[in-house]
Amino acid sequence: MVRSLSSIVLAFLFQTSIITAQPPPDNPLPTPPTFAPPSLSLNPSIGPSAAAQSIPPGFQQPYLRGDNGTNGPEIEIVHYFNDQWPIGIAVSPNGRIFTCYTGNPTLTLGEVTNLTGEAPYPSLELNSPPGGRGASAAGYRFGSNATDYFISVQAMYFDPMGRLWILDTGRPTIDNQTVYAQVGGPKVVVMDISNNTIVRNYTFSPECHFPDSYMNDIRLDFRPSLTPSGEGVAYIVDSSDEGRNGFILLDLGTGQCWRRLTRHPSTLVVYNAVPAYNGIPFYQRPPGMYVRGLPEGNDGIALSADGNMLYYAPLTSYYLYAVPTEVLLVRDEDSAYAEWNASNHVQNLGQKGSMTNGFDSDSNNVIYMSAPQTNSILQYRPNVSPIVESFVRDPRLLWTDTMTIGFDGYLYGDATQLFDQPAWNNGTDYRNYPGFIYRVKLADNGMKITTLR
């Protein structure tokens, strides 16, 4: 169903300041370690004279190789978060930066106004559903079904024409719990940021979006040949913790939606997966619940530069997967074997060396993947090599959740410290402000893909 929001609001105009990254005073970059001379009393049974005799005359402590935590190009900080933690970011053709939040009771969609400030976008009113973000029925809590308001924005993406696509899950986090969605709440909203107006509003039928679905990310292809409507298609990740993972496809002309690869093994959570962050094994401890592994399935998504391949991976998987988009576009009414055929075309491209979160791709057909376990960004270059490689690593990149390729030839990412959030640590918040948005220059004149139209 396609509907239109009815509000026009002026947004703040700004020019984002760019600052070359400097380590925060209380979190400096690692330097080669120094060590005290060998102890003369490591073993109490050995007296000083005997221990001293075991050290050769003129001995000098050698340098011991250590991990300095960095490789690849330098990162630049473009924004600091001092009172909230973003989940998603998007950068416009003229450098405006937009942010979204799933745990902020005041706003869920915002725009960066300066180096340390954000404001509700396009207005505080549209960030404030009547009656609040949640509702109760028959003793259960649900997200609001307000079609004309933002409830819980998880992700955003700019199309080649410079329009902002906003992914509202309709499932806000309330009291450290993600509530179920009602029809009308989950939606994709398209905004013309030149005048801050709503262009389109897509909602979903219950056959495509279940109450426990969680729309995590979106990619777009506007080539007229893809759909009968001639207006293109959206690929949307369903990363639901409840387990019905897969993809939701949306015909951008008709608003019709359909699912593919639901509960396919390549989209599912790895049972009881235990990652390690900063070298410490991590077990999720939701408030009032049992200790568990990370429950999230299908997560990262990226299109090849020609739009013919979709790359993806569950949050908890070490494997990278791909599937030709042509098999995802076939609808059930066109073929009784549509789902079976899509399943048969899934490709396992091997291990990545890490669990990964957000994906994006550039005009050189490089697939970028955030790797929270190693505080890094990985790259897969199918035109060059069959293996996954490191792109950039920095100890300050504590869980990059969202990456987006800018129109300016930079990769933008956010440092969210997600593994230390209270919803995963029995209500205790171990994160340290500030969070930040950073950018890294792409190699070989790579930039945002603008040809899929």
Side-chain angles (χ1 to χ4, degrees), residues 133-137 139-146 151-152 168-174 177-186 209-215 238 240-244 289 292:
R133 303 191 190 282
S136 297
Y140 294 93
R141 302 178 76 174
F142 296 89
S144 168
N145 63 355
I151 299 167
S152 186
D168 187 344
T169 69
R171 296 188 62 185
T173 300
I174 300 175
Q177 292 185 343
T178 302
V179 300
Y180 289 132
Q182 298 187 75
V183 174
H209 190 288
F210 312 129
D212 60 1
S213 289
Y214 195 93
M215 299 189 297
D238 186 343
S240 171
D241 285 359
E242 288 75 14
R244 289 191 279 188
M289 294 181 63
R292 63 184 185 181

Side-chain angles (χ1 to χ4, degrees), residues 80 84 87 98 236 239-241 247 361 366 380 404 412 431:
Y80 293 99
Q84 55 200 351
I87 201 72
F98 297 84
I236 301 170
S239 67
S240 171
D241 285 359
F247 295 101
S361 50
V366 179
Y380 175 66
T404 185
Y412 289 78
R431 298 170 296 185

Side-chain angles (χ1 to χ4, degrees), residues 4 7 12 49 75 100 141 159-160 222 248 348 373 380 391:
S4 174
S7 186
F12 292 94
S49 58
I75 72 168
C100 59
R141 302 178 76 174
D159 67 24
F222 296 93
I248 300 171
N348 184 331
Q373 286 182 277
Y380 175 66
F391 173 60

Side-chain angles (χ1 to χ4, degrees), residues 48 117 153 157 246 296 299 343 345 365 406 413 430:
V153 176
Y157 205 75
E296 189 172 314
D299 196 307
S343 176
H345 281 80
N365 202 37
Y430 294 106

Side-chain angles (χ1 to χ4, degrees), residues 78-96:
V78 300
H79 183 71
Y80 293 99
F81 294 94
N82 289 312
D83 57 3
Q84 55 200 351
W85 296 93
I87 201 72
I89 58 173
V91 183
S92 76
N94 63 354
R96 292 169 66 182

